[in-house]
Amino acid sequence: MVHAFIMVKTAAGKSEELLDSIRSLEAVTEAHIVAGNYDIITEVDADEVYDVLHTVTGEMQKFGGVADTKTYISLQ
């Protein structure tokens, strides 16, 4: 099992609108609006690193209003 944290930067005023869409993704276990350089932090659980990649690039980044993402794979 791979656990990852995905930081999402959104277009102005899009965080609340995107939160529900991000939470609806199968691999996403948690998603919260946060203050700082990124607007939403998500936690993802997947079988393989490739599945995390697919969640980010194949699903999350396709939502209108997602400006940037950073992926951090947990090492524990």
Side-chain angles (χ1 to χ4, degrees):
M1 180 67 69
V2 178
H3 188 78
F5 297 89
I6 315 300
M7 312 300 267
V8 181
K9 189 175 289 188
T10 67
K14 293 289 188 178
S15 296
E16 288 186 30
E17 180 181 320
L18 284 167
L19 187 61
D20 287 335
S21 296
I22 289 171
R23 284 179 172 163
S24 73
L25 297 175
E26 183 178 343
V28 172
T29 60
E30 294 281 336
H32 303 279
I33 293 175
V34 295
N37 292 332
Y38 285 84
D39 303 301
I40 299 173
I41 185 171
T42 70
E43 290 187 58
V44 171
D45 284 328
D47 290 332
E48 303 287 336
V49 172
Y50 174 81
D51 298 324
V52 174
L53 175 66
H54 174 74
T55 298
V56 177
T57 61
E59 299 179 57
M60 202 176 291
Q61 289 179 349
K62 290 186 177 182
F63 291 137
V66 172
D68 188 28
T69 61
K70 292 279 186 198
T71 302
Y72 299 92
I73 303 293
S74 177
L75 299 177
Q76 288 193 26

